[in-house]
Amino acid sequence: MPGTSRHAYKSRALQCSSARKMFRALGAMACVLLFRLILLSVLADFSQGKRLGPTSPLRYSRFLDPSHAVFLRWDFDYEAEIITFELQVQTTGWVGLGITNRYTFVGSDLVVGGVLPDGNVYFSDQHLLDEDTLEQDGSQDAELLKLTEDSVSTTMRFSRPFRSCDPQDQDITSDTMRVLAAYGLDDIPKMSRERTFVKSVFLLQMLQYDDQDIPEDTIIHDLAISNFLIPEDDTTYACTFLRLPIVSKKHHIYKFEPLLVERNETMVHHILVYACGNASVLPTGIGECYGSDPAFSLCSHVIAGWAVGGLSYQFPDDVGISIGTPLDPQWIRLEVHYSNFQNLPGIHDTSGMRLYYTSHLRKYDMGVLQLGISVFPIHFIPPGAEAFLSYGLCKTEKFEEMNGAPVSDIYVYSYLIHTHLAGRSLQAVQYRNGTQVQIICKDYSYDFNLQETRDLPHPAVIKPGDELLIECNYQTLDRDSMTFGGASTVNEMCLVFFFYYPRINISSCLGYPDIIYVTNELGEEASENPMENLMALNNVDWTPENIKKAEKACKESQQTVLIKTIDEEVENTTGWIPDIIPTPRGPCLESSGGKVEPQDKTPAGFRAAPTVLSGSNTVTLRHLPLIAILFLQGTVSWLLAMLQTGV
């Protein structure tokens, strides 16, 4: 260059190169800082959206004891798989909440906490070594959100994963959960039978409606049995026929709840409302549902149901039961199942169902599809069985023919499962073109004393031609004679009710095995009369080997499938029981805590903490969706590459 020496030019070039490197280094540092800022921002947003703090409202609640001294609130994030509990107990001592199983307290998990006299709190994730002895878990998977005490009660709020990686924690699932609550009168945790309670609860119950959005024109209509004298028998099915509300235009029923006489609650096992075809000729008065007069068993399309332990049920915001059009039912059969095991005399009852309806129409008309095993004539369970599986098949290939009009996809949004006392688990499985699609619903820890309608997290889509299989698992170790299908509580059922939309003209789709094949497989002489074959099974020596042989024969035999319309027309077909592929368990969530060491002035095995607790909004990378992490990492990598190329 003119006027510039070669040495000076080289020196300036080196300075420029150094400056560029410095700017790139600063740019790289800025990218890293930017990444961290963005990550912290996303984590904060994710935390606010996914975690419930110490004062966040909780949607669900139950009393866990008869005297209403132990009150539980809870809520959950289904996608993040985190559940938050708040236990309030009328005590100034320690409190505990956890999950147990059907048979024993041993191995139950229990989160324990309390407030010391000096104001410090203690909190620990523990488990029961035996019926009375608590031991601290090696991994602390419960996160404390709030722990307070006043002169009357202690309140503890904490969160935990549905499934932690600690083998001493019980998984939280959509099954019936047996919630364990315990407390003491001082700050030394020690189990006491008088202050320990177990209650079956659906912890992961879904709410698909806005409870605040109650139609202004809501009308209430009661369907009740009238001053019925409960017989002095163990089991009674009382039925009566009642008219639905008379309306001049279409309305939707959007909620129902049981009507129970307080002193008779323990005697009412279930209440069902069946829609009747408008051409039906119905009897008057009250009669035995399944007795000598078959007219009292007319109408088999369930539209509402309640069973012991259940509460009211409200449909999702876009679904309702249609009334008021020519296609809608005008009459219903009300069925009340009484269990008077103490044979008490002179008790009158007026139980039934309350309906809420409105002229503000929903988007879809609701239907109910009954699935499972046909109660009559072929359902049996051997005595002395640790586990016995029964199957009922439904094939939807004839639905369109029987519906009288094209059938589109139907969307199942909720379900009710039902067995009697021997039932231990149920599941409903969907197949398409011979391949398992999904397990639509299941309960592997079924409780006869808690039966209510449950919503699915997402609607299950059933296409024409799909097959549906219901599997029921029974235990009869306490029985020394055969258990047959039947209406009595000591007989058995295997039923699942699907609540779906849009409504079609099918009410039930039930299956049962070829009893002739089963009888032959068990080495007994078979007859063409199904009842004679069932009686022949009484001659079988029910060893564990023969129990398994009977279960295998029932599964391998051809199933007869009975399909019934709302108008009581019946068609049948046949099919074979497919295998069920279990759904694999999802990944566990690693603990964000650690082993809790004993501290001074604190009960052994606990950690001391300040009385004032901040909201738990801490979220680590393990809680952040993978796609968000990859996006952030990719953005920073791109920025760094741009800097390296000098752009």
Side-chain angles (χ1 to χ4, degrees):
M1 290 183 181
T4 304
S5 69
R6 184 182 298 274
H7 177 75
Y9 176 79
K10 186 175 182 181
S11 175
R12 289 180 184 178
L14 287 171
Q15 289 174 3
C16 289
S17 176
S18 297
R20 282 196 296 268
K21 289 180 179 179
M22 181 181 69
F23 287 137
R24 286 174 184 170
L26 289 172
M29 291 175 62
C31 284
V32 172
L33 289 173
L34 177 62
F35 172 76
R36 290 178 177 175
L37 286 172
I38 295 172
L39 181 59
L40 287 172
S41 175
V42 173
L43 286 171
D45 290 342
F46 182 77
S47 166
Q48 293 296 329
K50 296 296 185 182
R51 289 300 187 94
L52 295 165
T55 59
S56 303
L58 305 179
R59 291 177 294 172
Y60 307 94
S61 62
R62 291 284 191 284
F63 283 105
L64 302 181
D65 68 318
S67 61
H68 290 186
V70 182
F71 186 57
L72 176 66
R73 293 185 179 91
W74 78 95
D75 208 335
F76 57 89
D77 187 302
Y78 198 81
E79 301 301 326
E81 298 190 354
I82 298 290
I83 189 165
T84 299
F85 294 107
E86 182 176 286
L87 181 68
Q88 184 178 62
V89 185
Q90 293 177 17
T91 183
T92 55
W94 68 274
V95 298
L97 182 76
I99 305 296
T100 187
N101 63 51
R102 184 187 194 102
Y103 304 104
T104 177
F105 285 168
V106 177
S108 304
D109 65 22
L110 195 70
V111 175
V112 179
V115 181
L116 293 170
D118 63 5
N120 280 336
V121 305
Y122 53 93
F123 178 78
S124 182
D125 187 1
Q126 306 213 7
H127 62 277
L128 272 76
L129 286 176
D130 54 39
E131 299 283 333
D132 305 303
T133 308
L134 283 165
E135 181 179 75
Q136 176 188 279
D137 289 3
S139 173
Q140 295 296 295
D141 299 284
E143 184 176 354
L144 182 59
L145 302 176
K146 180 177 74 172
L147 191 42
T148 60
E149 179 185 291
D150 57 27
S151 60
V152 176
S153 62
T154 298
T155 301
M156 176 175 69
R157 180 182 284 211
F158 65 92
S159 64
R160 56 152 288 183
F162 289 0
R163 184 184 176 215
S164 77
C165 298
D166 184 355
Q168 292 163 335
D169 287 342
Q170 302 282 337
D171 289 357
I172 302 235
T173 70
S174 59
D175 297 350
T176 301
M177 293 280 98
R178 287 165 175 82
V179 177
L180 171 65
Y183 70 95
L185 304 180
D186 55 30
D187 289 307
I188 302 174
K190 186 176 181 181
M191 299 297 288
S192 164
R193 296 183 186 278
E194 293 77 22
R195 290 183 288 276
T196 300
F197 306 95
V198 176
K199 190 176 186 68
S200 291
V201 181
F202 300 138
L203 288 177
L204 299 188
Q205 173 66 291
M206 313 297 291
L207 286 180
Q208 306 287 10
Y209 62 88
D210 183 354
D211 200 25
Q212 306 302 316
D213 188 19
I214 304 299
E216 294 181 356
D217 68 339
T218 293
I219 306 171
I220 294 174
H221 184 82
D222 290 344
L223 302 168
I225 203 162
S226 179
N227 197 31
F228 177 66
L229 177 63
I230 301 175
E232 298 173 39
D233 299 322
D234 290 352
T235 299
T236 301
Y237 280 77
C239 279
T240 190
F241 294 87
L242 301 169
R243 192 175 184 88
L244 282 170
I246 300 174
V247 290
S248 58
K249 63 179 182 178
K250 182 174 180 175
H251 286 62
H252 268 146
I253 299 170
Y254 69 88
K255 179 181 178 179
F256 62 81
E257 66 184 18
L259 293 173
L260 300 171
V261 178
E262 186 174 350
R263 65 181 181 276
N264 299 342
E265 283 180 335
T266 59
M267 300 176 68
V268 180
H269 172 263
H270 77 237
I271 303 169
L272 290 174
V273 178
Y274 299 87
C276 296
N278 292 332
S280 303
V281 179
L282 307 174
T284 59
I286 302 172
E288 176 70 31
C289 302
Y290 309 105
S292 57
D293 186 351
F296 279 95
S297 63
L298 289 173
C299 314
S300 59
H301 182 57
V302 174
I303 59 171
W306 171 90
V308 59
L311 302 171
S312 63
Y313 181 72
Q314 186 166 325
F315 304 134
D317 292 335
D318 55 356
V319 179
I321 299 174
S322 177
I323 56 173
T325 79
L327 297 176
D328 296 329
Q330 299 174 15
W331 289 79
I332 60 93
R333 171 165 66 95
L334 179 69
E335 173 182 302
V336 184
H337 175 186
Y338 296 99
S339 296
N340 186 4
F341 289 116
Q342 295 180 319
N343 306 124
L344 300 175
I347 297 178
H348 290 79
D349 187 63
T350 313
S351 293
M353 198 76 79
R354 172 165 289 173
L355 307 179
Y356 294 76
Y357 66 100
T358 173
S359 63
H360 286 76
L361 299 181
R362 310 298 183 86
K363 185 175 181 180
Y364 300 107
D365 292 341
M366 188 206 77
V368 183
L369 179 62
Q370 180 180 344
L371 305 166
I373 302 176
S374 179
V375 176
F376 301 107
I378 317 294
H379 189 197
F380 74 92
I381 301 132
E386 174 72 33
F388 186 83
L389 298 175
S390 297
Y391 300 91
L393 180 67
C394 170
K395 301 183 71 174
T396 67
E397 59 190 23
K398 284 199 170 189
F399 277 17
E400 186 161 295
E401 174 189 338
M402 298 184 68
N403 188 57
V407 173
S408 61
D409 297 349
I410 64 173
Y411 296 81
V412 178
Y413 65 87
S414 64
Y415 63 96
L416 174 68
I417 60 179
H418 180 68
T419 76
H420 289 169
L421 296 171
R424 293 296 180 267
S425 69
L426 302 89
Q427 59 182 335
V429 190
Q430 179 185 13
Y431 300 85
R432 185 172 299 146
N433 300 322
T435 301
Q436 181 173 318
V437 176
Q438 63 178 325
I439 296 176
I440 294 177
C441 63
K442 53 89 179 175
D443 193 336
Y444 298 150
S445 55
Y446 172 80
D447 186 347
F448 171 79
N449 295 306
L450 178 61
Q451 302 179 53
E452 63 183 13
T453 305
R454 301 183 238 183
D455 288 345
L456 293 169
H458 308 287
V461 182
I462 298 175
K463 294 181 175 294
D466 285 359
E467 293 187 357
L468 302 167
L469 178 65
I470 308 301
E471 178 193 77
C472 290
N473 184 21
Y474 301 95
Q475 186 182 89
T476 56
L477 292 173
D478 59 343
R479 304 188 183 192
D480 54 13
S481 60
M482 293 278 290
T483 299
F484 296 107
S488 170
T489 306
V490 296
N491 294 131
E492 267 308 330
M493 290 185 173
C494 174
L495 298 174
V496 175
F497 298 92
F498 277 172
F499 295 79
Y500 70 91
Y501 63 86
R503 179 183 63 181
I504 59 176
N505 191 34
I506 308 298
S507 66
S508 65
C509 184
L510 305 169
Y512 63 87
D514 180 353
I515 192 63
I516 295 177
Y517 174 84
V518 174
T519 305
N520 285 329
E521 287 294 297
L522 290 169
E524 298 296 323
E525 185 175 347
S527 164
E528 292 299 320
N529 186 325
M531 295 307 297
E532 289 182 5
N533 289 321
L534 286 178
M535 294 302 102
L537 296 182
N538 281 317
N539 301 324
V540 175
D541 180 15
W542 289 113
T543 63
E545 293 74 20
N546 281 335
I547 291 172
K548 284 300 176 186
K549 186 184 290 187
E551 179 183 279
K552 183 173 182 287
C554 287
K555 185 179 180 183
E556 291 179 347
S557 73
Q558 189 177 56
Q559 283 248 326
T560 297
V561 180
L562 300 175
I563 305 168
K564 184 184 290 188
T565 68
I566 296 173
D567 300 320
E568 305 287 331
E569 295 180 6
V570 179
E571 292 279 350
N572 65 345
T573 184
T574 59
W576 303 92
I577 301 298
D579 290 330
I580 298 175
I581 303 171
T583 302
R585 295 173 70 191
C588 61
L589 291 180
E590 293 285 353
S591 169
S592 58
K595 186 173 182 180
V596 180
E597 301 294 342
Q599 302 201 12
D600 294 338
K601 297 184 180 180
T602 309
F606 293 83
R607 64 164 170 247
T611 303
V612 179
L613 298 167
S614 62
S616 176
N617 288 323
T618 303
V619 181
T620 60
L621 280 174
R622 69 183 176 86
H623 292 117
L624 190 65
L626 180 60
I627 190 170
I629 296 172
L630 293 175
F631 171 76
L632 292 172
Q633 290 176 339
T635 302
V636 172
S637 298
W638 176 80
L639 288 171
L640 289 172
M642 296 293 285
L643 286 167
Q644 291 296 326
T645 58
V647 177

PDB file of all heavy atoms in Angstrom, residues 521-543:
ATOM      1  N   GLU A 521     -63.278 -80.734  27.775  1.00  0.00           N
ATOM      2  CA  GLU A 521     -61.876 -80.540  28.132  1.00  0.00           C
ATOM      3  C   GLU A 521     -61.601 -80.886  29.591  1.00  0.00           C
ATOM      4  O   GLU A 521     -60.492 -81.272  29.956  1.00  0.00           O
ATOM      5  CB  GLU A 521     -61.462 -79.083  27.864  1.00  0.00           C
ATOM      6  CG  GLU A 521     -61.304 -78.740  26.392  1.00  0.00           C
ATOM      7  CD  GLU A 521     -60.153 -79.506  25.761  1.00  0.00           C
ATOM      8  OE1 GLU A 521     -59.001 -79.298  26.181  1.00  0.00           O
ATOM      9  OE2 GLU A 521     -60.417 -80.322  24.846  1.00  0.00           O
ATOM     10  N   LEU A 522     -62.632 -80.771  30.434  1.00  0.00           N
ATOM     11  CA  LEU A 522     -62.473 -81.092  31.853  1.00  0.00           C
ATOM     12  C   LEU A 522     -62.800 -82.554  32.155  1.00  0.00           C
ATOM     13  O   LEU A 522     -62.851 -82.947  33.325  1.00  0.00           O
ATOM     14  CB  LEU A 522     -63.349 -80.163  32.698  1.00  0.00           C
ATOM     15  CG  LEU A 522     -62.875 -78.694  32.740  1.00  0.00           C
ATOM     16  CD1 LEU A 522     -63.937 -77.801  33.358  1.00  0.00           C
ATOM     17  CD2 LEU A 522     -61.566 -78.582  33.510  1.00  0.00           C
ATOM     18  N   GLY A 523     -63.035 -83.343  31.097  1.00  0.00           N
ATOM     19  CA  GLY A 523     -63.248 -84.773  31.282  1.00  0.00           C
ATOM     20  C   GLY A 523     -64.639 -85.164  31.710  1.00  0.00           C
ATOM     21  O   GLY A 523     -64.865 -86.308  32.129  1.00  0.00           O
ATOM     22  N   GLU A 524     -65.598 -84.260  31.585  1.00  0.00           N
ATOM     23  CA  GLU A 524     -66.983 -84.568  31.953  1.00  0.00           C
ATOM     24  C   GLU A 524     -67.806 -84.815  30.689  1.00  0.00           C
ATOM     25  O   GLU A 524     -67.456 -84.345  29.599  1.00  0.00           O
ATOM     26  CB  GLU A 524     -67.593 -83.412  32.749  1.00  0.00           C
ATOM     27  CG  GLU A 524     -66.897 -83.127  34.061  1.00  0.00           C
ATOM     28  CD  GLU A 524     -67.001 -84.278  35.051  1.00  0.00           C
ATOM     29  OE1 GLU A 524     -68.063 -84.932  35.089  1.00  0.00           O
ATOM     30  OE2 GLU A 524     -66.022 -84.531  35.787  1.00  0.00           O
ATOM     31  N   GLU A 525     -68.897 -85.565  30.845  1.00  0.00           N
ATOM     32  CA  GLU A 525     -69.769 -85.863  29.708  1.00  0.00           C
ATOM     33  C   GLU A 525     -70.620 -84.640  29.389  1.00  0.00           C
ATOM     34  O   GLU A 525     -71.346 -84.136  30.246  1.00  0.00           O
ATOM     35  CB  GLU A 525     -70.656 -87.056  30.020  1.00  0.00           C
ATOM     36  CG  GLU A 525     -71.502 -87.507  28.835  1.00  0.00           C
ATOM     37  CD  GLU A 525     -72.297 -88.773  29.141  1.00  0.00           C
ATOM     38  OE1 GLU A 525     -72.012 -89.429  30.162  1.00  0.00           O
ATOM     39  OE2 GLU A 525     -73.213 -89.084  28.354  1.00  0.00           O
ATOM     40  N   ALA A 526     -70.512 -84.168  28.150  1.00  0.00           N
ATOM     41  CA  ALA A 526     -71.201 -82.940  27.750  1.00  0.00           C
ATOM     42  C   ALA A 526     -72.613 -83.230  27.268  1.00  0.00           C
ATOM     43  O   ALA A 526     -72.916 -84.318  26.763  1.00  0.00           O
ATOM     44  CB  ALA A 526     -70.419 -82.226  26.655  1.00  0.00           C
ATOM     45  N   SER A 527     -73.478 -82.225  27.432  1.00  0.00           N
ATOM     46  CA  SER A 527     -74.869 -82.314  27.000  1.00  0.00           C
ATOM     47  C   SER A 527     -75.168 -81.131  26.091  1.00  0.00           C
ATOM     48  O   SER A 527     -74.448 -80.134  26.072  1.00  0.00           O
ATOM     49  CB  SER A 527     -75.794 -82.297  28.226  1.00  0.00           C
ATOM     50  OG  SER A 527     -77.128 -82.022  27.848  1.00  0.00           O
ATOM     51  N   GLU A 528     -76.249 -81.227  25.319  1.00  0.00           N
ATOM     52  CA  GLU A 528     -76.678 -80.109  24.493  1.00  0.00           C
ATOM     53  C   GLU A 528     -77.342 -79.023  25.336  1.00  0.00           C
ATOM     54  O   GLU A 528     -77.539 -77.905  24.880  1.00  0.00           O
ATOM     55  CB  GLU A 528     -77.651 -80.589  23.409  1.00  0.00           C
ATOM     56  CG  GLU A 528     -77.009 -81.472  22.351  1.00  0.00           C
ATOM     57  CD  GLU A 528     -75.901 -80.754  21.597  1.00  0.00           C
ATOM     58  OE1 GLU A 528     -76.080 -79.553  21.290  1.00  0.00           O
ATOM     59  OE2 GLU A 528     -74.853 -81.383  21.332  1.00  0.00           O
ATOM     60  N   ASN A 529     -77.690 -79.363  26.563  1.00  0.00           N
ATOM     61  CA  ASN A 529     -78.337 -78.413  27.472  1.00  0.00           C
ATOM     62  C   ASN A 529     -77.260 -77.661  28.262  1.00  0.00           C
ATOM     63  O   ASN A 529     -76.527 -78.265  29.046  1.00  0.00           O
ATOM     64  CB  ASN A 529     -79.267 -79.156  28.438  1.00  0.00           C
ATOM     65  CG  ASN A 529     -80.066 -78.203  29.311  1.00  0.00           C
ATOM     66  OD1 ASN A 529     -79.578 -77.149  29.705  1.00  0.00           O
ATOM     67  ND2 ASN A 529     -81.293 -78.585  29.624  1.00  0.00           N
ATOM     68  N   PRO A 530     -77.121 -76.342  28.071  1.00  0.00           N
ATOM     69  CA  PRO A 530     -76.061 -75.591  28.755  1.00  0.00           C
ATOM     70  C   PRO A 530     -76.122 -75.719  30.273  1.00  0.00           C
ATOM     71  O   PRO A 530     -75.084 -75.835  30.935  1.00  0.00           O
ATOM     72  CB  PRO A 530     -76.300 -74.146  28.310  1.00  0.00           C
ATOM     73  CG  PRO A 530     -77.051 -74.250  27.024  1.00  0.00           C
ATOM     74  CD  PRO A 530     -77.895 -75.477  27.162  1.00  0.00           C
ATOM     75  N   MET A 531     -77.329 -75.718  30.842  1.00  0.00           N
ATOM     76  CA  MET A 531     -77.446 -75.789  32.295  1.00  0.00           C
ATOM     77  C   MET A 531     -76.973 -77.141  32.823  1.00  0.00           C
ATOM     78  O   MET A 531     -76.371 -77.221  33.902  1.00  0.00           O
ATOM     79  CB  MET A 531     -78.892 -75.513  32.718  1.00  0.00           C
ATOM     80  CG  MET A 531     -79.376 -74.107  32.403  1.00  0.00           C
ATOM     81  SD  MET A 531     -78.286 -72.808  33.056  1.00  0.00           S
ATOM     82  CE  MET A 531     -78.433 -73.107  34.817  1.00  0.00           C
ATOM     83  N   GLU A 532     -77.220 -78.202  32.072  1.00  0.00           N
ATOM     84  CA  GLU A 532     -76.742 -79.516  32.493  1.00  0.00           C
ATOM     85  C   GLU A 532     -75.217 -79.571  32.489  1.00  0.00           C
ATOM     86  O   GLU A 532     -74.602 -80.196  33.360  1.00  0.00           O
ATOM     87  CB  GLU A 532     -77.322 -80.603  31.588  1.00  0.00           C
ATOM     88  CG  GLU A 532     -78.809 -80.841  31.778  1.00  0.00           C
ATOM     89  CD  GLU A 532     -79.332 -81.973  30.893  1.00  0.00           C
ATOM     90  OE1 GLU A 532     -78.501 -82.622  30.208  1.00  0.00           O
ATOM     91  OE2 GLU A 532     -80.565 -82.191  30.879  1.00  0.00           O
ATOM     92  N   ASN A 533     -74.606 -78.889  31.534  1.00  0.00           N
ATOM     93  CA  ASN A 533     -73.143 -78.840  31.504  1.00  0.00           C
ATOM     94  C   ASN A 533     -72.586 -78.082  32.701  1.00  0.00           C
ATOM     95  O   ASN A 533     -71.567 -78.470  33.287  1.00  0.00           O
ATOM     96  CB  ASN A 533     -72.658 -78.195  30.203  1.00  0.00           C
ATOM     97  CG  ASN A 533     -72.891 -79.091  29.005  1.00  0.00           C
ATOM     98  OD1 ASN A 533     -72.725 -80.304  29.085  1.00  0.00           O
ATOM     99  ND2 ASN A 533     -73.290 -78.502  27.883  1.00  0.00           N
ATOM    100  N   LEU A 534     -73.246 -76.982  33.050  1.00  0.00           N
ATOM    101  CA  LEU A 534     -72.798 -76.239  34.226  1.00  0.00           C
ATOM    102  C   LEU A 534     -72.916 -77.092  35.480  1.00  0.00           C
ATOM    103  O   LEU A 534     -72.041 -77.070  36.354  1.00  0.00           O
ATOM    104  CB  LEU A 534     -73.603 -74.949  34.385  1.00  0.00           C
ATOM    105  CG  LEU A 534     -73.290 -73.813  33.400  1.00  0.00           C
ATOM    106  CD1 LEU A 534     -74.196 -72.629  33.660  1.00  0.00           C
ATOM    107  CD2 LEU A 534     -71.833 -73.387  33.518  1.00  0.00           C
ATOM    108  N   MET A 535     -73.999 -77.848  35.585  1.00  0.00           N
ATOM    109  CA  MET A 535     -74.164 -78.721  36.746  1.00  0.00           C
ATOM    110  C   MET A 535     -73.107 -79.825  36.757  1.00  0.00           C
ATOM    111  O   MET A 535     -72.624 -80.228  37.818  1.00  0.00           O
ATOM    112  CB  MET A 535     -75.576 -79.331  36.751  1.00  0.00           C
ATOM    113  CG  MET A 535     -76.694 -78.312  36.967  1.00  0.00           C
ATOM    114  SD  MET A 535     -76.523 -77.381  38.528  1.00  0.00           S
ATOM    115  CE  MET A 535     -75.862 -75.818  37.912  1.00  0.00           C
ATOM    116  N   ALA A 536     -72.711 -80.279  35.555  1.00  0.00           N
ATOM    117  CA  ALA A 536     -71.681 -81.324  35.477  1.00  0.00           C
ATOM    118  C   ALA A 536     -70.348 -80.828  36.016  1.00  0.00           C
ATOM    119  O   ALA A 536     -69.532 -81.610  36.529  1.00  0.00           O
ATOM    120  CB  ALA A 536     -71.526 -81.802  34.037  1.00  0.00           C
ATOM    121  N   LEU A 537     -70.115 -79.528  35.924  1.00  0.00           N
ATOM    122  CA  LEU A 537     -68.858 -78.977  36.421  1.00  0.00           C
ATOM    123  C   LEU A 537     -68.743 -79.070  37.938  1.00  0.00           C
ATOM    124  O   LEU A 537     -67.650 -78.976  38.498  1.00  0.00           O
ATOM    125  CB  LEU A 537     -68.717 -77.513  35.981  1.00  0.00           C
ATOM    126  CG  LEU A 537     -68.626 -77.282  34.468  1.00  0.00           C
ATOM    127  CD1 LEU A 537     -68.449 -75.805  34.173  1.00  0.00           C
ATOM    128  CD2 LEU A 537     -67.470 -78.076  33.868  1.00  0.00           C
ATOM    129  N   ASN A 538     -69.882 -79.269  38.619  1.00  0.00           N
ATOM    130  CA  ASN A 538     -69.831 -79.479  40.065  1.00  0.00           C
ATOM    131  C   ASN A 538     -69.124 -80.783  40.428  1.00  0.00           C
ATOM    132  O   ASN A 538     -68.698 -80.968  41.570  1.00  0.00           O
ATOM    133  CB  ASN A 538     -71.252 -79.489  40.657  1.00  0.00           C
ATOM    134  CG  ASN A 538     -71.813 -78.085  40.816  1.00  0.00           C
ATOM    135  OD1 ASN A 538     -71.115 -77.174  41.255  1.00  0.00           O
ATOM    136  ND2 ASN A 538     -73.080 -77.912  40.450  1.00  0.00           N
ATOM    137  N   ASN A 539     -69.019 -81.707  39.456  1.00  0.00           N
ATOM    138  CA  ASN A 539     -68.369 -82.995  39.715  1.00  0.00           C
ATOM    139  C   ASN A 539     -66.847 -82.926  39.587  1.00  0.00           C
ATOM    140  O   ASN A 539     -66.143 -83.882  39.932  1.00  0.00           O
ATOM    141  CB  ASN A 539     -68.895 -84.056  38.741  1.00  0.00           C
ATOM    142  CG  ASN A 539     -70.402 -84.240  38.867  1.00  0.00           C
ATOM    143  OD1 ASN A 539     -70.959 -84.157  39.959  1.00  0.00           O
ATOM    144  ND2 ASN A 539     -71.063 -84.488  37.729  1.00  0.00           N
ATOM    145  N   VAL A 540     -66.333 -81.804  39.082  1.00  0.00           N
ATOM    146  CA  VAL A 540     -64.889 -81.676  38.868  1.00  0.00           C
ATOM    147  C   VAL A 540     -64.179 -81.499  40.204  1.00  0.00           C
ATOM    148  O   VAL A 540     -64.646 -80.774  41.093  1.00  0.00           O
ATOM    149  CB  VAL A 540     -64.584 -80.481  37.941  1.00  0.00           C
ATOM    150  CG1 VAL A 540     -63.081 -80.271  37.801  1.00  0.00           C
ATOM    151  CG2 VAL A 540     -65.228 -80.688  36.579  1.00  0.00           C
ATOM    152  N   ASP A 541     -63.046 -82.182  40.361  1.00  0.00           N
ATOM    153  CA  ASP A 541     -62.183 -81.975  41.521  1.00  0.00           C
ATOM    154  C   ASP A 541     -61.348 -80.725  41.236  1.00  0.00           C
ATOM    155  O   ASP A 541     -60.411 -80.753  40.439  1.00  0.00           O
ATOM    156  CB  ASP A 541     -61.283 -83.192  41.726  1.00  0.00           C
ATOM    157  CG  ASP A 541     -60.355 -83.030  42.920  1.00  0.00           C
ATOM    158  OD1 ASP A 541     -60.597 -82.111  43.743  1.00  0.00           O
ATOM    159  OD2 ASP A 541     -59.384 -83.811  43.028  1.00  0.00           O
ATOM    160  N   TRP A 542     -61.674 -79.624  41.900  1.00  0.00           N
ATOM    161  CA  TRP A 542     -61.081 -78.345  41.543  1.00  0.00           C
ATOM    162  C   TRP A 542     -59.711 -78.156  42.176  1.00  0.00           C
ATOM    163  O   TRP A 542     -59.506 -77.353  43.072  1.00  0.00           O
ATOM    164  CB  TRP A 542     -62.019 -77.195  41.892  1.00  0.00           C
ATOM    165  CG  TRP A 542     -63.211 -77.140  40.977  1.00  0.00           C
ATOM    166  CD1 TRP A 542     -64.514 -77.369  41.297  1.00  0.00           C
ATOM    167  CD2 TRP A 542     -63.183 -76.861  39.575  1.00  0.00           C
ATOM    168  NE1 TRP A 542     -65.314 -77.248  40.188  1.00  0.00           N
ATOM    169  CE2 TRP A 542     -64.522 -76.928  39.111  1.00  0.00           C
ATOM    170  CE3 TRP A 542     -62.182 -76.565  38.658  1.00  0.00           C
ATOM    171  CZ2 TRP A 542     -64.866 -76.714  37.777  1.00  0.00           C
ATOM    172  CZ3 TRP A 542     -62.522 -76.348  37.334  1.00  0.00           C
ATOM    173  CH2 TRP A 542     -63.848 -76.416  36.901  1.00  0.00           C
ATOM    174  N   THR A 543     -58.762 -78.923  41.667  1.00  0.00           N
ATOM    175  CA  THR A 543     -57.361 -78.749  42.027  1.00  0.00           C
ATOM    176  C   THR A 543     -56.813 -77.534  41.282  1.00  0.00           C
ATOM    177  O   THR A 543     -57.421 -77.073  40.301  1.00  0.00           O
ATOM    178  CB  THR A 543     -56.552 -79.985  41.637  1.00  0.00           C
ATOM    179  OG1 THR A 543     -56.612 -80.141  40.204  1.00  0.00           O
ATOM    180  CG2 THR A 543     -57.107 -81.242  42.307  1.00  0.00           C
TER     181      THR A 543
END
